[in-house]
Structures are given as structure tokens and as C-alpha cells.
Amino acid sequence: MDLLKILVIGSGGREHSICWKLAQSQLIDKIYCAPGNPGIAQEAKCEITSIAVLDFQAQVEFCEQKKISFVIVGPDNPLACGIVDYLQQNNIKVFGPNKQCAKLEWSKIYAKEFMMLNKIPTAKYLIGNGYNDALAKLKANPWLKVFKADGLCYGKGVYVANDNNDSSECINLLYQNALNKDNQAQIVMEEKLCGIEMSLFLLCDGKQAYPFYTSQDYKRRYDHDQGPNTGGMGAYSPHELYADWNQLIEKYIIKPINNNFHNAQFDYIGILYVGIMLVKDSTKNELIPYVLEFNARFGDPETQAMLPLLNSDLAYLCLNAINGNLNQNMITWSNAKSIAVVTVLNQYPNPTQPSIITNMPEETNNFKLFQAGTVRQNDQLIAQSGRVIAAVAFDYDYTQAYHIVYNKIKEIKYNNIDYRKDIALHLVQS
Ligand code: AMP
Ligand code: GLY
């Protein structure tokens, strides 16, 4: 077989970790990333190209010109806009779900209907058909505490009522901020579940979903889960409870998903990310994994935490997923544990002045940096926006990984750097 040439779409830390992992594959000759970032440009076999993630026609032309073997799509937005359908119509192979399958992410209402149809445990809900209807339904149903915009909102589409924030205020905020005052927009309104969260990643080949791996991400901006939701401030992998819960997750979540795949010709290819809450059901006195959401892609920063632990060849897995030939034995992991900590500019999630990065720690065989919100200008690396760098340590246990990552991250130097200090802290032994 000729060596593979791959095009990765995206520019974040997730795409950096995908490119880095692909570069280790013996099957691969060349990795292009559009538009990529300065960190990706430095990886072996990698080259960045300035094609935008939504410029599908330019991507097709690039694939034809470079004889790309297949494309891997990182972010949600091009998936929701039909990148997979477009590339496939042009005879280009893609690792990622088509627009209809990706609807599990881009419509929360569709995701809820999918769960109801397939009897997958999920929070009780009602649909708000516009602002006035949402408020009226809330009045009649005071148990509604969680409010979600139907479409993609880049991490800003969910409001959960708490002590400082009552339900009607959540509805106001959702319509004002995430929905740009579109008072006709539909929303999902849910009961609030309490439990432990877990991110489960399934690898799908159009016929079946196979457990890939697990992680825990930290969505809140500040330590001890304070402050606003963000794209993700850190993650560790694997999730420490998966071994205890995998049979229940198989029974309540993976089996029904696979029944749907078989019965409904749901030819999902790529990663299906399942956001789970492990809940103690008081009425049944049973522990049940509930699905909070689906995403049609790898998580960010969960991917940066997971991929350093993957023993299998990522290119081989993607190729077999595209060709409908996966099996569980192909997916193997090291026993190590990893922790990813994301650095930001301190005003994040609000924008701040960019700042020059004056020092980066050395990478080792158990420590890696994945760049996201960086740009290179006149030979200087700049912390430009949002999440800047994911520092990832992987070692034989969480304690060791924690000490490595927090010792090394101190060496990253730019003005107004900030990061959470408590990623995986509960797993650290003193
Ligand atoms: P989602 O984008 O649906 O995962 O929601 C973002 C975050 O909101 C989740 O990671 C949870 O922390 C929280 N969340 C979502 N749905 C619920 C729910 N029904 N009950 C409690 N928390 C929730
Ligand atoms: N870490 C959350 C996400 O990727 O959506």
C-alpha cells in the first residue's frame, strides 16, 4: 500500500494532538492541517495550509491536488454545515459523520428525540417554542432547571439554575446571549441531574459504535468548578470510574445506540462523544448513567489527554472506521494516566490583549505541549486568544502526572497567563 497523505481540518489543541499522534504512524507519509496553528507546523511530517474550515471547495481542490487519502474533521461547525457530505460527493474519503448523523450535536431537540426513541436514560424535558412559551412552561413546571439552545453555541448554549441564578433568569440570559435575542428560537428545558460526569468516546464505522476511551473534562473557568462555562480548562484520562461502570454504560447507552445503528441505517462514521452523568436514581434505588449530550467529534481538551495513551495506530483506526472494518481488538491503550491543563489569557472567556510567549518548557517522553490560541508573528510566538496551550503529562499514575504537569506548566511565560490548579486534584495521593 502507498503511504497515506491526510488532511486534518481545524486549528486547535485537539487538532494538534491528532496531527502529533498521526505523525507516529508508519502508514503515513504526510499530514496537512487546514488552517492549523504554529505548534502543528513544527510537528514531524506536518505542514499547515491557510484554507478556512468552512471553505469546502478549496478543501476539495487541495485534496485533489495533493492526492489526499482521507480527511479528518476536528471541529463541530464544518460537520454541522455538511463538510462530510460535500467531500464525499467529490469522491474524497472522510473520517467524520455526515450532516444528518452530526445532527446529534447540532440539534439538542433531535438528540433528545434520539434518546427517547432508543430508550437511553436522559433528563426529563420539555421544548420551549420561543421565549414566551418557555416562560409559560416554566411557570407550570417549576422542576425545569436546565436550559439549552437547540443549535451550536460554542460552549455558551447551556444555563443551569443555581443559588445565584433562578430559572427565569437563565431563560432570559439564554435568549439574550446565546440566541442573540431571537425570541422565536426553540430551546430544550430539563430537570437538573446531580451526579458525576464522564466523557465517553465511541469510535464508529458506519455499522457499529465501539468504546474508544473515557475522560473527565473541566468546563468551568475557575478552581473548584466556579465561574462561567468555557470550552474546557483541563481534562484527565481515563475516567477513574469507567471500570466500575462499563457494564451499566454498555447496557443503558452503547447497546441502544448500536440497536439504532442496526435498525435505522444510521451510518455514523467517526467519533461519537457522549456526555454522561452517573446518577443515583432514588425511586429505583439504582445507579444509572444518564446522557447529557452528544457531540459528533473528538472533545477538546479531552483528546489532548487521551491520545498520548493510545497504543493503536490512529491512522489505521480512522481508515478502518471509514471502510466499515473496525473491531474492538484494534483499539488498545497503555496503562498510563494523563492530565491536560489548559493555559488561557486571564480574562478568558472574555477577550484580552495578546501577549508574547517568552518561554516554553522542554517536552519529554511523558510531557507534551499542544498549542491552540497561538500565532507566530516575526519569529515570535504570541498568546493570541481563548485557550492558548494544553500542557499534558502522562505517567504511571495520576499523582505522578499531576506533579509533572504542574511543575512544567510554571515554565510557560507570557503576560496574564492563567490556568486551573485543580485538574485531577481529587486523584492525587499525598
Ligand atoms: P451540555 O452541553 O449539554 O453537556 O451541557 C454542559 C454542561 O451543563 C454539562 O457538562 C453539565 O455540567 C451541565 N448539564 C447539562 N445538562 C444537565 C442536566 N440535565 N442536569 C445537570 N447539569 C446539566
Ligand atoms: N470539552 C468539551 C467539548 O469538546 O465539547
Side-chain angles (χ1 to χ4, degrees):
M1 190 173 88
D2 288 344
L3 288 178
L4 304 170
K5 295 186 195 322
I6 300 189
L7 173 64
V8 176
I9 304 290
S11 62
R14 165 185 49 211
E15 289 75 23
H16 188 170
S17 66
I18 290 170
C19 290
W20 169 78
K21 191 70 199 174
L22 290 173
Q24 295 164 17
S25 169
Q26 304 295 322
L27 304 173
I28 290 188
D29 178 24
K30 184 86 190 171
I31 302 147
Y32 297 96
C33 189
N37 68 40
I40 296 172
Q42 287 182 335
E43 295 295 343
K45 303 184 190 176
C46 290
E47 189 176 318
I48 59 174
T49 169
S50 60
I51 302 170
V53 292
L54 293 180
D55 192 346
F56 302 162
Q57 184 51 33
Q59 291 158 10
V60 167
E61 284 162 21
F62 185 85
C63 289
E64 286 168 352
Q65 186 201 346
K66 299 288 185 190
K67 302 200 171 15
I68 295 294
S69 317
F70 64 87
V71 176
I72 299 178
V73 186
D76 48 13
N77 197 11
L79 291 167
C81 293
I83 188 173
V84 172
D85 312 62
Y86 195 92
L87 295 178
Q88 283 174 344
Q89 280 153 17
N90 286 279
N91 299 317
I92 295 161
K93 292 186 175 181
V94 202
F95 179 80
N98 62 28
K99 187 170 178 180
Q100 178 57 33
C101 291
K103 195 169 182 184
L104 282 178
E105 173 161 12
W106 59 262
S107 168
K108 299 256 184 206
I109 295 176
Y110 177 75
K112 280 295 201 185
E113 288 166 357
F114 180 94
M115 290 186 257
M116 299 309 283
L117 183 72
N118 293 295
K119 301 194 169 51
I120 296 170
T122 188
K124 274 197 300 174
Y125 75 106
L126 294 175
I127 292 174
N129 291 308
Y131 178 74
N132 290 336
D133 183 59
L135 283 183
K137 282 185 175 142
L138 172 63
K139 207 164 172 200
N141 299 280
W143 51 272
L144 296 167
K145 299 276 180 201
V146 181
F147 304 90
K148 303 182 176 182
D150 183 41
L152 291 184
C153 284
Y154 309 102
K156 293 181 190 144
V158 178
Y159 284 85
V160 182
N162 56 35
D163 297 343
N164 318 317
N165 209 355
D166 78 4
S167 294
S168 54
E169 198 184 330
C170 287
I171 294 179
N172 288 337
L173 290 171
L174 188 60
Y175 276 93
Q176 258 170 42
N177 300 337
L179 295 168
N180 290 325
K181 306 196 176 111
D182 174 5
N183 283 349
Q184 307 306 316
Q186 289 187 305
I187 64 170
V188 172
M189 311 193 287
E190 295 187 349
E191 69 176 322
K192 184 170 174 177
L193 300 172
C194 292
I196 299 168
E197 286 191 53
M198 176 188 294
S199 303
L200 168 71
F201 294 86
L202 304 175
L203 181 58
C204 310
D205 68 353
K207 297 178 186 155
Q208 192 161 330
Y210 298 88
F212 184 66
Y213 219 38
T214 57
S215 176
Q216 166 73 67
D217 81 333
Y218 289 69
K219 287 201 174 75
R220 297 296 199 94
R221 171 64 178 81
Y222 300 111
D223 283 10
H224 311 299
D225 290 334
Q226 302 297 306
N229 266 332
T230 69
M233 296 294 296
Y236 63 84
S237 179
H239 196 292
E240 75 280 14
L241 294 179
Y242 186 62
D244 298 340
W245 279 75
N246 70 356
Q247 286 182 350
L248 285 172
I249 289 173
E250 172 68 36
K251 172 178 158 189
Y252 283 106
I253 299 175
I254 301 175
K255 205 157 175 274
I257 288 177
N258 278 326
N259 286 342
N260 183 282
F261 275 35
H262 298 147
N263 300 335
Q265 292 197 319
F266 194 71
D267 43 0
Y268 193 111
I269 291 175
I271 288 288
L272 179 58
Y273 162 157
V274 191
I276 295 175
M277 193 176 270
L278 308 171
V279 178
K280 188 159 183 158
D281 188 313
S282 52
T283 50
K284 295 187 194 145
N285 200 21
E286 232 188 320
L287 293 167
I288 298 192
Y290 279 67
V291 173
L292 297 179
E293 64 161 346
F294 291 112
N295 294 310
R297 53 176 172 80
F298 275 117
D300 188 335
E302 293 99 318
T303 309
Q304 294 90 308
M306 289 192 298
L307 289 186
L309 309 179
L310 179 65
N311 277 344
S312 316
D313 181 320
L314 181 61
Y316 180 74
L317 293 181
C318 294
L319 198 59
N320 280 288
I322 292 169
N323 292 333
N325 282 334
L326 275 180
N327 68 59
Q328 191 69 55
N329 296 333
M330 291 177 179
I331 309 170
T332 60
W333 297 90
S334 83
N335 289 327
K337 318 288 183 221
S338 79
I339 300 176
V341 181
V342 173
T343 75
V344 295
L345 285 155
N346 62 4
Q347 298 298 311
Y348 176 76
N350 298 316
T352 331
Q353 264 311 84
S355 156
I356 299 168
I357 301 173
T358 53
N359 193 53
M360 291 279 258
E362 200 183 328
E363 296 178 351
T364 63
N365 58 4
N366 56 9
F367 178 77
K368 175 74 194 157
L369 297 166
F370 295 116
Q371 295 184 29
T374 58
V375 291
R376 192 166 279 287
Q377 275 170 9
N378 307 327
D379 262 4
Q380 282 178 322
L381 191 63
I382 316 279
Q384 179 75 12
S385 60
R387 296 180 288 173
V388 179
I389 296 164
V392 188
F394 25 104
D395 214 289
Y396 54 87
D397 66 14
Y398 298 108
T399 305
Q400 190 66 12
Y402 181 91
H403 291 309
I404 295 168
V405 79
Y406 279 108
N407 268 326
K408 292 286 243 179
I409 205 169
K410 287 191 280 206
E411 296 175 28
I412 302 178
K413 295 275 186 279
Y414 60 84
N415 283 339
N416 301 325
I417 187 171
D418 197 17
Y419 49 87
R420 277 182 64 158
K421 314 291 184 301
D422 65 339
I423 308 299
L425 183 58
H426 66 293
L427 298 172
V428 175
Q429 282 154 6
S430 49

